[in-house]
Amino acid sequence: EVQLVESGGALVQPGGSLRLSCVASGFTFSSYWMTWVRQAPGKGLEWVASTKYDGTETAYVASVKGRFTVSRDNAKNSLYLQMNSLRVEDTAVYYCARGARGSDSWGQGTLVTVSS
Amino acid sequence: DVVLTQSPLSLPVTLGQPASISCRSSQSLVHSDGNTYLNWIQQRPGQSPRRLIYKVSNRDSGVPDRFSGSGSGTDFTLEITTVEADDVAVYYCIQDIHWPYTFGQGTKLEIK
């Protein structure tokens, strides 16, 4: 069974940094692209970033480019999202998902709140 | 960026009746490999998203056959033949052919 467990969400001040983690199990992590998607409170879904199975290729939505970095450690079956220069509008539940094109499994999400 | 426009945004449906959600794209979602990369996502209240349909019309494992997807090019539809209480959710279309991948605004299905 595919399992994705996110962690690392917290309350952080504007301008601060946070690192999210997603631990995967139940599939061969190193064979899949992986993706972060977020959902602001009461709003819709927004694709944030994806990384190729070996980490050599990444893609970001324009609003986070230069501030967020997606990475992975295949030895630890783990996906990360380093978030710097956080803004109030980054407040959201962040989900990791297996795959990029055709993401087919999602975690339960972790809440990031950016507020002073 | 590709804009996906869903309609309606709110969909009150009587139990046992059909439902239909439209998703229109600002660009063609047909890839050079011949596939069309448009998926449908269900998000029940308080739950994580779940993929229902991929590449326009392919149902994911465990998805009831009352759900079906159709369409081509820039015009797509999710249909539910007979709505059940379990179908109360927000439904999103997502295109994953052009970076950045984008979602529709979401359609909230409720029981009338």
mmCIF file of all heavy atoms in Angstrom, chain A residues 33 35 37 39 43-47 50 57 59-62 95 100-104 106-109, chain B residues 31 33 37 39 41 43 47-51 54 60 92 94 96-105:
data_model
loop_
_atom_site.group_PDB
_atom_site.id
_atom_site.type_symbol
_atom_site.label_atom_id
_atom_site.label_comp_id
_atom_site.label_asym_id
_atom_site.label_seq_id
_atom_site.Cartn_x
_atom_site.Cartn_y
_atom_site.Cartn_z
ATOM 1 N N TRP A 33 8.798 10.332 -10.172
ATOM 2 C CA TRP A 33 8.751 11.748 -9.915
ATOM 3 C C TRP A 33 7.914 11.933 -8.647
ATOM 4 O O TRP A 33 7.060 11.117 -8.326
ATOM 5 C CB TRP A 33 8.053 12.477 -11.063
ATOM 6 C CG TRP A 33 8.873 12.714 -12.292
ATOM 7 C CD1 TRP A 33 9.279 11.791 -13.217
ATOM 8 C CD2 TRP A 33 9.335 13.980 -12.764
ATOM 9 N NE1 TRP A 33 9.968 12.392 -14.223
ATOM 10 C CE2 TRP A 33 10.024 13.744 -13.973
ATOM 11 C CE3 TRP A 33 9.232 15.291 -12.296
ATOM 12 C CZ2 TRP A 33 10.616 14.776 -14.711
ATOM 13 C CZ3 TRP A 33 9.813 16.316 -13.030
ATOM 14 C CH2 TRP A 33 10.502 16.050 -14.223
ATOM 15 N N THR A 35 5.884 15.178 -6.168
ATOM 16 C CA THR A 35 5.265 16.494 -6.331
ATOM 17 C C THR A 35 4.798 17.046 -4.992
ATOM 18 O O THR A 35 4.405 16.282 -4.097
ATOM 19 C CB THR A 35 4.056 16.345 -7.287
ATOM 20 O OG1 THR A 35 4.532 16.069 -8.609
ATOM 21 C CG2 THR A 35 3.191 17.598 -7.321
ATOM 22 N N VAL A 37 1.895 19.782 -3.639
ATOM 23 C CA VAL A 37 0.697 20.549 -3.975
ATOM 24 C C VAL A 37 0.224 21.210 -2.692
ATOM 25 O O VAL A 37 0.347 20.623 -1.618
ATOM 26 C CB VAL A 37 -0.411 19.633 -4.540
ATOM 27 C CG1 VAL A 37 -1.732 20.379 -4.694
ATOM 28 C CG2 VAL A 37 0.022 19.032 -5.874
ATOM 29 N N GLN A 39 -2.822 23.821 -0.563
ATOM 30 C CA GLN A 39 -4.217 24.263 -0.516
ATOM 31 C C GLN A 39 -4.368 25.289 0.588
ATOM 32 O O GLN A 39 -4.296 24.947 1.775
ATOM 33 C CB GLN A 39 -5.144 23.075 -0.291
ATOM 34 C CG GLN A 39 -6.610 23.402 -0.374
ATOM 35 C CD GLN A 39 -7.482 22.154 -0.399
ATOM 36 O OE1 GLN A 39 -7.196 21.160 0.261
ATOM 37 N NE2 GLN A 39 -8.548 22.190 -1.178
ATOM 38 N N LYS A 43 -9.606 27.253 0.090
ATOM 39 C CA LYS A 43 -9.354 27.495 -1.335
ATOM 40 C C LYS A 43 -9.100 26.192 -2.086
ATOM 41 O O LYS A 43 -9.165 25.100 -1.513
ATOM 42 C CB LYS A 43 -8.133 28.424 -1.495
ATOM 43 C CG LYS A 43 -8.286 29.771 -0.806
ATOM 44 C CD LYS A 43 -9.411 30.589 -1.397
ATOM 45 C CE LYS A 43 -9.474 31.973 -0.763
ATOM 46 N NZ LYS A 43 -10.620 32.764 -1.285
ATOM 47 N N GLY A 44 -8.808 26.328 -3.371
ATOM 48 C CA GLY A 44 -8.565 25.168 -4.218
ATOM 49 C C GLY A 44 -7.134 24.679 -4.144
ATOM 50 O O GLY A 44 -6.311 25.171 -3.376
ATOM 51 N N LEU A 45 -6.857 23.686 -4.981
ATOM 52 C CA LEU A 45 -5.533 23.065 -5.024
ATOM 53 C C LEU A 45 -4.606 23.833 -5.953
ATOM 54 O O LEU A 45 -5.029 24.338 -6.992
ATOM 55 C CB LEU A 45 -5.670 21.611 -5.509
ATOM 56 C CG LEU A 45 -6.527 20.702 -4.631
ATOM 57 C CD1 LEU A 45 -6.808 19.383 -5.339
ATOM 58 C CD2 LEU A 45 -5.847 20.451 -3.297
ATOM 59 N N GLU A 46 -3.331 23.883 -5.567
ATOM 60 C CA GLU A 46 -2.322 24.559 -6.390
ATOM 61 C C GLU A 46 -1.079 23.682 -6.454
ATOM 62 O O GLU A 46 -0.500 23.351 -5.416
ATOM 63 C CB GLU A 46 -1.968 25.928 -5.816
ATOM 64 C CG GLU A 46 -0.927 26.670 -6.648
ATOM 65 C CD GLU A 46 -0.486 27.998 -6.050
ATOM 66 O OE1 GLU A 46 -0.403 28.108 -4.807
ATOM 67 O OE2 GLU A 46 -0.211 28.921 -6.834
ATOM 68 N N TRP A 47 -0.671 23.322 -7.657
ATOM 69 C CA TRP A 47 0.592 22.604 -7.855
ATOM 70 C C TRP A 47 1.746 23.540 -7.504
ATOM 71 O O TRP A 47 1.748 24.706 -7.905
ATOM 72 C CB TRP A 47 0.690 22.144 -9.305
ATOM 73 C CG TRP A 47 2.001 21.542 -9.647
ATOM 74 C CD1 TRP A 47 2.406 20.259 -9.428
ATOM 75 C CD2 TRP A 47 3.112 22.198 -10.262
ATOM 76 N NE1 TRP A 47 3.694 20.087 -9.868
ATOM 77 C CE2 TRP A 47 4.150 21.266 -10.388
ATOM 78 C CE3 TRP A 47 3.325 23.512 -10.716
ATOM 79 C CZ2 TRP A 47 5.376 21.573 -10.949
ATOM 80 C CZ3 TRP A 47 4.548 23.829 -11.281
ATOM 81 C CH2 TRP A 47 5.559 22.869 -11.390
ATOM 82 N N SER A 50 7.695 19.898 -8.586
ATOM 83 C CA SER A 50 7.913 18.474 -8.831
ATOM 84 C C SER A 50 9.395 18.220 -9.035
ATOM 85 O O SER A 50 10.138 19.114 -9.461
ATOM 86 C CB SER A 50 7.157 18.005 -10.078
ATOM 87 O OG SER A 50 5.765 18.068 -9.909
ATOM 88 N N GLU A 57 16.072 16.942 -12.238
ATOM 89 C CA GLU A 57 15.184 17.893 -12.898
ATOM 90 C C GLU A 57 14.100 18.321 -11.916
ATOM 91 O O GLU A 57 13.561 17.482 -11.179
ATOM 92 C CB GLU A 57 14.550 17.227 -14.123
ATOM 93 C CG GLU A 57 13.876 18.175 -15.085
ATOM 94 C CD GLU A 57 13.385 17.452 -16.342
ATOM 95 O OE1 GLU A 57 14.004 16.430 -16.734
ATOM 96 O OE2 GLU A 57 12.377 17.911 -16.917
ATOM 97 N N ALA A 59 10.774 21.435 -11.257
ATOM 98 C CA ALA A 59 9.915 22.470 -11.830
ATOM 99 C C ALA A 59 9.125 23.114 -10.705
ATOM 100 O O ALA A 59 8.789 22.433 -9.723
ATOM 101 C CB ALA A 59 8.971 21.872 -12.869
ATOM 102 N N TYR A 60 8.852 24.415 -10.853
ATOM 103 C CA TYR A 60 8.183 25.175 -9.803
ATOM 104 C C TYR A 60 7.103 26.079 -10.403
ATOM 105 O O TYR A 60 7.246 26.572 -11.526
ATOM 106 C CB TYR A 60 9.183 26.075 -9.071
ATOM 107 C CG TYR A 60 10.309 25.349 -8.392
ATOM 108 C CD1 TYR A 60 11.497 25.093 -9.061
ATOM 109 C CD2 TYR A 60 10.176 24.915 -7.072
ATOM 110 C CE1 TYR A 60 12.538 24.419 -8.442
ATOM 111 C CE2 TYR A 60 11.211 24.236 -6.440
ATOM 112 C CZ TYR A 60 12.383 23.996 -7.135
ATOM 113 O OH TYR A 60 13.405 23.319 -6.510
ATOM 114 N N VAL A 61 6.087 26.355 -9.596
ATOM 115 C CA VAL A 61 5.141 27.400 -9.971
ATOM 116 C C VAL A 61 5.855 28.740 -9.789
ATOM 117 O O VAL A 61 6.736 28.883 -8.921
ATOM 118 C CB VAL A 61 3.861 27.311 -9.116
ATOM 119 C CG1 VAL A 61 4.135 27.661 -7.667
ATOM 120 C CG2 VAL A 61 2.769 28.186 -9.684
ATOM 121 N N ALA A 62 5.499 29.719 -10.598
ATOM 122 C CA ALA A 62 6.227 30.997 -10.611
ATOM 123 C C ALA A 62 6.257 31.674 -9.242
ATOM 124 O O ALA A 62 7.257 32.296 -8.856
ATOM 125 C CB ALA A 62 5.606 31.935 -11.643
ATOM 126 N N TYR A 95 0.630 19.111 0.551
ATOM 127 C CA TYR A 95 0.529 17.681 0.309
ATOM 128 C C TYR A 95 1.696 17.225 -0.565
ATOM 129 O O TYR A 95 2.066 17.929 -1.516
ATOM 130 C CB TYR A 95 -0.746 17.341 -0.454
ATOM 131 C CG TYR A 95 -2.045 17.660 0.239
ATOM 132 C CD1 TYR A 95 -2.747 18.830 -0.045
ATOM 133 C CD2 TYR A 95 -2.594 16.765 1.165
ATOM 134 C CE1 TYR A 95 -3.966 19.103 0.585
ATOM 135 C CE2 TYR A 95 -3.796 17.034 1.793
ATOM 136 C CZ TYR A 95 -4.476 18.204 1.495
ATOM 137 O OH TYR A 95 -5.671 18.473 2.114
ATOM 138 N N ALA A 100 4.379 13.012 -11.072
ATOM 139 C CA ALA A 100 4.179 14.409 -11.465
ATOM 140 C C ALA A 100 3.034 14.384 -12.470
ATOM 141 O O ALA A 100 1.916 14.726 -12.149
ATOM 142 C CB ALA A 100 5.443 15.007 -12.048
ATOM 143 N N ARG A 101 3.349 13.935 -13.678
ATOM 144 C CA ARG A 101 2.276 13.699 -14.638
ATOM 145 C C ARG A 101 1.470 12.513 -14.114
ATOM 146 O O ARG A 101 1.981 11.416 -13.992
ATOM 147 C CB ARG A 101 2.871 13.428 -16.003
ATOM 148 C CG ARG A 101 1.883 13.065 -17.084
ATOM 149 C CD ARG A 101 2.539 13.169 -18.440
ATOM 150 N NE ARG A 101 2.778 14.561 -18.801
ATOM 151 C CZ ARG A 101 3.649 14.948 -19.731
ATOM 152 N NH1 ARG A 101 4.360 14.054 -20.382
ATOM 153 N NH2 ARG A 101 3.805 16.231 -20.002
ATOM 154 N N GLY A 102 0.211 12.781 -13.758
ATOM 155 C CA GLY A 102 -0.621 11.691 -13.264
ATOM 156 C C GLY A 102 -0.395 11.326 -11.810
ATOM 157 O O GLY A 102 -0.393 10.149 -11.460
ATOM 158 N N SER A 103 -0.201 12.331 -10.931
ATOM 159 C CA SER A 103 -0.047 12.035 -9.500
ATOM 160 C C SER A 103 -1.230 11.196 -9.037
ATOM 161 O O SER A 103 -2.382 11.604 -9.179
ATOM 162 C CB SER A 103 0.010 13.331 -8.690
ATOM 163 O OG SER A 103 1.195 14.040 -8.950
ATOM 164 N N ASP A 104 -0.927 10.033 -8.450
ATOM 165 C CA ASP A 104 -2.019 9.099 -8.168
ATOM 166 C C ASP A 104 -2.203 8.772 -6.700
ATOM 167 O O ASP A 104 -3.141 8.048 -6.358
ATOM 168 C CB ASP A 104 -1.812 7.809 -8.965
ATOM 169 C CG ASP A 104 -0.529 7.085 -8.589
ATOM 170 O OD1 ASP A 104 0.249 7.612 -7.767
ATOM 171 O OD2 ASP A 104 -0.292 6.000 -9.145
ATOM 172 N N TRP A 106 -1.727 10.598 -2.609
ATOM 173 C CA TRP A 106 -1.470 11.837 -1.885
ATOM 174 C C TRP A 106 -1.337 11.529 -0.388
ATOM 175 O O TRP A 106 -1.993 10.635 0.134
ATOM 176 C CB TRP A 106 -2.638 12.802 -2.083
ATOM 177 C CG TRP A 106 -2.954 13.095 -3.519
ATOM 178 C CD1 TRP A 106 -3.337 12.209 -4.488
ATOM 179 C CD2 TRP A 106 -2.940 14.364 -4.152
ATOM 180 N NE1 TRP A 106 -3.555 12.848 -5.679
ATOM 181 C CE2 TRP A 106 -3.319 14.168 -5.509
ATOM 182 C CE3 TRP A 106 -2.656 15.655 -3.711
ATOM 183 C CZ2 TRP A 106 -3.405 15.235 -6.416
ATOM 184 C CZ3 TRP A 106 -2.746 16.702 -4.615
ATOM 185 C CH2 TRP A 106 -3.120 16.490 -5.949
ATOM 186 N N GLY A 107 -0.526 12.336 0.291
ATOM 187 C CA GLY A 107 -0.439 12.212 1.736
ATOM 188 C C GLY A 107 -1.588 12.930 2.422
ATOM 189 O O GLY A 107 -2.500 13.440 1.762
ATOM 190 N N GLN A 108 -1.510 13.000 3.739
ATOM 191 C CA GLN A 108 -2.573 13.633 4.515
ATOM 192 C C GLN A 108 -2.359 15.137 4.673
ATOM 193 O O GLN A 108 -3.257 15.849 5.094
ATOM 194 C CB GLN A 108 -2.712 12.959 5.886
ATOM 195 C CG GLN A 108 -1.784 13.488 6.983
ATOM 196 C CD GLN A 108 -0.324 13.164 6.764
ATOM 197 O OE1 GLN A 108 0.040 12.308 5.970
ATOM 198 N NE2 GLN A 108 0.546 13.853 7.498
ATOM 199 N N GLY A 109 -1.159 15.596 4.334
ATOM 200 C CA GLY A 109 -0.877 17.022 4.360
ATOM 201 C C GLY A 109 -0.287 17.505 5.675
ATOM 202 O O GLY A 109 -0.440 16.874 6.727
ATOM 203 N N HIS B 31 -0.776 15.672 -26.046
ATOM 204 C CA HIS B 31 0.682 15.578 -26.098
ATOM 205 C C HIS B 31 1.122 14.996 -27.430
ATOM 206 O O HIS B 31 0.339 14.313 -28.103
ATOM 207 C CB HIS B 31 1.159 14.691 -24.940
ATOM 208 C CG HIS B 31 2.627 14.761 -24.650
ATOM 209 N ND1 HIS B 31 3.545 13.994 -25.329
ATOM 210 C CD2 HIS B 31 3.321 15.509 -23.754
ATOM 211 C CE1 HIS B 31 4.747 14.259 -24.851
ATOM 212 N NE2 HIS B 31 4.643 15.175 -23.892
ATOM 213 N N ASP B 33 2.852 12.560 -27.741
ATOM 214 C CA ASP B 33 2.845 11.105 -27.636
ATOM 215 C C ASP B 33 1.458 10.528 -27.903
ATOM 216 O O ASP B 33 1.246 9.318 -27.805
ATOM 217 C CB ASP B 33 3.362 10.635 -26.273
ATOM 218 C CG ASP B 33 2.490 11.054 -25.092
ATOM 219 O OD1 ASP B 33 1.390 11.594 -25.316
ATOM 220 O OD2 ASP B 33 2.904 10.858 -23.938
ATOM 221 N N TYR B 37 -3.506 14.778 -21.394
ATOM 222 C CA TYR B 37 -3.195 14.734 -19.959
ATOM 223 C C TYR B 37 -4.134 15.619 -19.144
ATOM 224 O O TYR B 37 -3.795 16.720 -18.709
ATOM 225 C CB TYR B 37 -1.724 15.082 -19.744
ATOM 226 C CG TYR B 37 -0.815 13.984 -20.246
ATOM 227 C CD1 TYR B 37 -0.208 14.069 -21.495
ATOM 228 C CD2 TYR B 37 -0.623 12.835 -19.485
ATOM 229 C CE1 TYR B 37 0.591 13.049 -21.964
ATOM 230 C CE2 TYR B 37 0.179 11.798 -19.949
ATOM 231 C CZ TYR B 37 0.783 11.910 -21.189
ATOM 232 O OH TYR B 37 1.573 10.883 -21.656
ATOM 233 N N ASN B 39 -6.785 15.044 -15.841
ATOM 234 C CA ASN B 39 -7.221 14.144 -14.788
ATOM 235 C C ASN B 39 -8.322 14.796 -13.965
ATOM 236 O O ASN B 39 -8.480 16.027 -13.965
ATOM 237 C CB ASN B 39 -6.048 13.820 -13.846
ATOM 238 C CG ASN B 39 -4.816 13.363 -14.586
ATOM 239 O OD1 ASN B 39 -4.909 12.625 -15.561
ATOM 240 N ND2 ASN B 39 -3.668 13.833 -14.136
ATOM 241 N N ILE B 41 -9.850 14.907 -9.952
ATOM 242 C CA ILE B 41 -9.517 14.691 -8.552
ATOM 243 C C ILE B 41 -10.773 14.901 -7.700
ATOM 244 O O ILE B 41 -11.540 15.845 -7.949
ATOM 245 C CB ILE B 41 -8.440 15.698 -8.092
ATOM 246 C CG1 ILE B 41 -7.196 15.644 -8.994
ATOM 247 C CG2 ILE B 41 -8.081 15.486 -6.628
ATOM 248 C CD1 ILE B 41 -6.424 14.371 -8.917
ATOM 249 N N GLN B 43 -12.036 15.509 -3.730
ATOM 250 C CA GLN B 43 -11.629 15.821 -2.358
ATOM 251 C C GLN B 43 -12.865 15.881 -1.476
ATOM 252 O O GLN B 43 -13.629 16.861 -1.507
ATOM 253 C CB GLN B 43 -10.836 17.118 -2.270
ATOM 254 C CG GLN B 43 -10.232 17.348 -0.885
ATOM 255 C CD GLN B 43 -9.348 18.564 -0.809
ATOM 256 O OE1 GLN B 43 -9.572 19.549 -1.501
ATOM 257 N NE2 GLN B 43 -8.329 18.519 0.048
ATOM 258 N N GLN B 47 -10.750 15.574 3.873
ATOM 259 C CA GLN B 47 -9.840 14.518 3.413
ATOM 260 C C GLN B 47 -8.823 15.044 2.412
ATOM 261 O O GLN B 47 -8.956 16.136 1.873
ATOM 262 C CB GLN B 47 -10.645 13.376 2.781
ATOM 263 C CG GLN B 47 -11.537 12.640 3.762
ATOM 264 C CD GLN B 47 -12.139 11.386 3.158
ATOM 265 O OE1 GLN B 47 -11.704 10.888 2.112
ATOM 266 N NE2 GLN B 47 -13.147 10.836 3.827
ATOM 267 N N SER B 48 -7.827 14.203 2.159
ATOM 268 C CA SER B 48 -6.830 14.516 1.132
ATOM 269 C C SER B 48 -7.440 14.291 -0.246
ATOM 270 O O SER B 48 -8.427 13.564 -0.397
ATOM 271 C CB SER B 48 -5.620 13.595 1.303
ATOM 272 O OG SER B 48 -5.013 13.771 2.548
ATOM 273 N N PRO B 49 -6.843 14.914 -1.242
ATOM 274 C CA PRO B 49 -7.315 14.658 -2.615
ATOM 275 C C PRO B 49 -7.089 13.199 -3.001
ATOM 276 O O PRO B 49 -6.209 12.516 -2.474
ATOM 277 C CB PRO B 49 -6.418 15.588 -3.457
ATOM 278 C CG PRO B 49 -5.918 16.613 -2.512
ATOM 279 C CD PRO B 49 -5.776 15.930 -1.199
ATOM 280 N N ARG B 50 -7.897 12.773 -3.948
ATOM 281 C CA ARG B 50 -7.830 11.409 -4.461
ATOM 282 C C ARG B 50 -8.054 11.473 -5.967
ATOM 283 O O ARG B 50 -8.995 12.133 -6.418
ATOM 284 C CB ARG B 50 -8.941 10.569 -3.816
ATOM 285 C CG ARG B 50 -9.206 9.208 -4.438
ATOM 286 C CD ARG B 50 -10.590 8.727 -4.049
ATOM 287 N NE ARG B 50 -10.886 7.392 -4.550
ATOM 288 C CZ ARG B 50 -12.106 6.857 -4.611
ATOM 289 N NH1 ARG B 50 -13.155 7.556 -4.204
ATOM 290 N NH2 ARG B 50 -12.293 5.638 -5.064
ATOM 291 N N ARG B 51 -7.208 10.813 -6.724
ATOM 292 C CA ARG B 51 -7.417 10.819 -8.172
ATOM 293 C C ARG B 51 -8.511 9.838 -8.539
ATOM 294 O O ARG B 51 -8.521 8.701 -8.072
ATOM 295 C CB ARG B 51 -6.125 10.477 -8.914
ATOM 296 C CG ARG B 51 -6.170 10.809 -10.405
ATOM 297 C CD ARG B 51 -4.881 10.437 -11.108
ATOM 298 N NE ARG B 51 -4.724 8.982 -11.193
ATOM 299 C CZ ARG B 51 -3.687 8.377 -11.782
ATOM 300 N NH1 ARG B 51 -2.713 9.103 -12.308
ATOM 301 N NH2 ARG B 51 -3.614 7.062 -11.827
ATOM 302 N N TYR B 54 -7.760 9.443 -14.912
ATOM 303 C CA TYR B 54 -6.537 9.958 -15.513
ATOM 304 C C TYR B 54 -6.591 9.825 -17.027
ATOM 305 O O TYR B 54 -7.302 8.965 -17.553
ATOM 306 C CB TYR B 54 -5.290 9.261 -14.940
ATOM 307 C CG TYR B 54 -5.231 7.773 -15.192
ATOM 308 C CD1 TYR B 54 -4.512 7.249 -16.262
ATOM 309 C CD2 TYR B 54 -5.891 6.883 -14.350
ATOM 310 C CE1 TYR B 54 -4.448 5.888 -16.492
ATOM 311 C CE2 TYR B 54 -5.845 5.519 -14.569
ATOM 312 C CZ TYR B 54 -5.122 5.021 -15.638
ATOM 313 O OH TYR B 54 -5.077 3.668 -15.872
ATOM 314 N N ASP B 60 -9.392 5.186 -11.969
ATOM 315 C CA ASP B 60 -8.416 4.598 -11.066
ATOM 316 C C ASP B 60 -9.013 3.370 -10.385
ATOM 317 O O ASP B 60 -10.247 3.205 -10.302
ATOM 318 C CB ASP B 60 -7.969 5.613 -10.023
ATOM 319 C CG ASP B 60 -6.818 6.467 -10.521
ATOM 320 O OD1 ASP B 60 -5.676 5.984 -10.432
ATOM 321 O OD2 ASP B 60 -7.074 7.578 -11.005
ATOM 322 N N TYR B 92 -12.018 18.502 -8.870
ATOM 323 C CA TYR B 92 -11.092 19.349 -9.617
ATOM 324 C C TYR B 92 -10.626 18.622 -10.873
ATOM 325 O O TYR B 92 -10.342 17.422 -10.836
ATOM 326 C CB TYR B 92 -9.834 19.655 -8.795
ATOM 327 C CG TYR B 92 -10.056 20.390 -7.501
ATOM 328 C CD1 TYR B 92 -10.271 19.706 -6.319
ATOM 329 C CD2 TYR B 92 -10.001 21.786 -7.451
ATOM 330 C CE1 TYR B 92 -10.446 20.381 -5.112
ATOM 331 C CE2 TYR B 92 -10.167 22.473 -6.257
ATOM 332 C CZ TYR B 92 -10.397 21.755 -5.087
ATOM 333 O OH TYR B 92 -10.563 22.437 -3.906
ATOM 334 N N ILE B 94 -7.332 18.673 -13.476
ATOM 335 C CA ILE B 94 -5.945 19.107 -13.478
ATOM 336 C C ILE B 94 -5.301 18.722 -14.796
ATOM 337 O O ILE B 94 -5.507 17.601 -15.266
ATOM 338 C CB ILE B 94 -5.125 18.529 -12.294
ATOM 339 C CG1 ILE B 94 -3.639 18.881 -12.442
ATOM 340 C CG2 ILE B 94 -5.353 17.033 -12.115
ATOM 341 C CD1 ILE B 94 -2.745 18.408 -11.321
ATOM 342 N N ASP B 96 -1.737 18.055 -16.675
ATOM 343 C CA ASP B 96 -0.332 17.812 -16.369
ATOM 344 C C ASP B 96 0.459 17.530 -17.643
ATOM 345 O O ASP B 96 1.240 16.582 -17.704
ATOM 346 C CB ASP B 96 -0.153 16.729 -15.303
ATOM 347 C CG ASP B 96 -0.940 15.458 -15.576
ATOM 348 O OD1 ASP B 96 -1.402 15.273 -16.719
ATOM 349 O OD2 ASP B 96 -1.093 14.649 -14.637
ATOM 350 N N ILE B 97 0.211 18.392 -18.607
ATOM 351 C CA ILE B 97 1.009 18.349 -19.822
ATOM 352 C C ILE B 97 1.934 19.551 -19.919
ATOM 353 O O ILE B 97 3.055 19.449 -20.401
ATOM 354 C CB ILE B 97 0.115 18.235 -21.079
ATOM 355 C CG1 ILE B 97 0.945 18.230 -22.359
ATOM 356 C CG2 ILE B 97 -0.934 19.326 -21.116
ATOM 357 C CD1 ILE B 97 0.140 18.037 -23.637
ATOM 358 N N HIS B 98 1.482 20.715 -19.467
ATOM 359 C CA HIS B 98 2.263 21.953 -19.572
ATOM 360 C C HIS B 98 2.671 22.412 -18.174
ATOM 361 O O HIS B 98 1.828 22.524 -17.282
ATOM 362 C CB HIS B 98 1.433 23.065 -20.221
ATOM 363 C CG HIS B 98 0.887 22.738 -21.582
ATOM 364 N ND1 HIS B 98 1.685 22.603 -22.700
ATOM 365 C CD2 HIS B 98 -0.378 22.504 -21.996
ATOM 366 C CE1 HIS B 98 0.922 22.317 -23.734
ATOM 367 N NE2 HIS B 98 -0.333 22.241 -23.357
ATOM 368 N N TRP B 99 3.989 22.715 -17.982
ATOM 369 C CA TRP B 99 4.403 23.345 -16.730
ATOM 370 C C TRP B 99 3.991 24.816 -16.776
ATOM 371 O O TRP B 99 4.133 25.449 -17.817
ATOM 372 C CB TRP B 99 5.924 23.294 -16.569
ATOM 373 C CG TRP B 99 6.572 21.966 -16.516
ATOM 374 C CD1 TRP B 99 7.418 21.445 -17.454
ATOM 375 C CD2 TRP B 99 6.481 20.971 -15.472
ATOM 376 N NE1 TRP B 99 7.852 20.209 -17.070
ATOM 377 C CE2 TRP B 99 7.292 19.878 -15.847
ATOM 378 C CE3 TRP B 99 5.794 20.901 -14.252
ATOM 379 C CZ2 TRP B 99 7.455 18.746 -15.065
ATOM 380 C CZ3 TRP B 99 5.953 19.758 -13.482
ATOM 381 C CH2 TRP B 99 6.765 18.711 -13.881
ATOM 382 N N PRO B 100 3.540 25.399 -15.655
ATOM 383 C CA PRO B 100 3.191 24.713 -14.409
ATOM 384 C C PRO B 100 1.875 23.955 -14.553
ATOM 385 O O PRO B 100 0.949 24.418 -15.223
ATOM 386 C CB PRO B 100 3.039 25.866 -13.419
ATOM 387 C CG PRO B 100 2.541 26.997 -14.268
ATOM 388 C CD PRO B 100 3.220 26.833 -15.595
ATOM 389 N N TYR B 101 1.797 22.803 -13.942
ATOM 390 C CA TYR B 101 0.541 22.090 -13.938
ATOM 391 C C TYR B 101 -0.512 22.959 -13.246
ATOM 392 O O TYR B 101 -0.182 23.689 -12.305
ATOM 393 C CB TYR B 101 0.670 20.761 -13.207
ATOM 394 C CG TYR B 101 1.619 19.783 -13.859
ATOM 395 C CD1 TYR B 101 2.106 18.694 -13.147
ATOM 396 C CD2 TYR B 101 2.027 19.924 -15.195
ATOM 397 C CE1 TYR B 101 2.966 17.769 -13.736
ATOM 398 C CE2 TYR B 101 2.887 19.020 -15.792
ATOM 399 C CZ TYR B 101 3.348 17.949 -15.054
ATOM 400 O OH TYR B 101 4.204 17.057 -15.641
ATOM 401 N N THR B 102 -1.720 22.906 -13.698
ATOM 402 C CA THR B 102 -2.761 23.762 -13.141
ATOM 403 C C THR B 102 -4.051 22.989 -12.897
ATOM 404 O O THR B 102 -4.367 22.033 -13.617
ATOM 405 C CB THR B 102 -3.047 24.954 -14.071
ATOM 406 O OG1 THR B 102 -3.243 24.474 -15.420
ATOM 407 C CG2 THR B 102 -1.908 25.955 -14.058
ATOM 408 N N PHE B 103 -4.785 23.453 -11.888
ATOM 409 C CA PHE B 103 -6.068 22.877 -11.510
ATOM 410 C C PHE B 103 -7.192 23.821 -11.929
ATOM 411 O O PHE B 103 -7.000 25.037 -12.017
ATOM 412 C CB PHE B 103 -6.167 22.718 -9.989
ATOM 413 C CG PHE B 103 -5.283 21.662 -9.396
ATOM 414 C CD1 PHE B 103 -3.971 21.962 -9.037
ATOM 415 C CD2 PHE B 103 -5.751 20.377 -9.170
ATOM 416 C CE1 PHE B 103 -3.149 21.001 -8.479
ATOM 417 C CE2 PHE B 103 -4.935 19.407 -8.607
ATOM 418 C CZ PHE B 103 -3.637 19.711 -8.257
ATOM 419 N N GLY B 104 -8.362 23.243 -12.134
ATOM 420 C CA GLY B 104 -9.559 24.063 -12.227
ATOM 421 C C GLY B 104 -9.915 24.603 -10.846
ATOM 422 O O GLY B 104 -9.313 24.228 -9.838
ATOM 423 N N GLN B 105 -10.919 25.488 -10.808
ATOM 424 C CA GLN B 105 -11.282 26.149 -9.530
ATOM 425 C C GLN B 105 -11.943 25.201 -8.536
ATOM 426 O O GLN B 105 -12.025 25.486 -7.343
ATOM 427 C CB GLN B 105 -12.248 27.315 -9.773
ATOM 428 C CG GLN B 105 -11.886 28.206 -10.941
ATOM 429 C CD GLN B 105 -12.718 27.807 -12.156
ATOM 430 O OE1 GLN B 105 -12.634 26.670 -12.640
ATOM 431 N NE2 GLN B 105 -13.508 28.756 -12.667
#
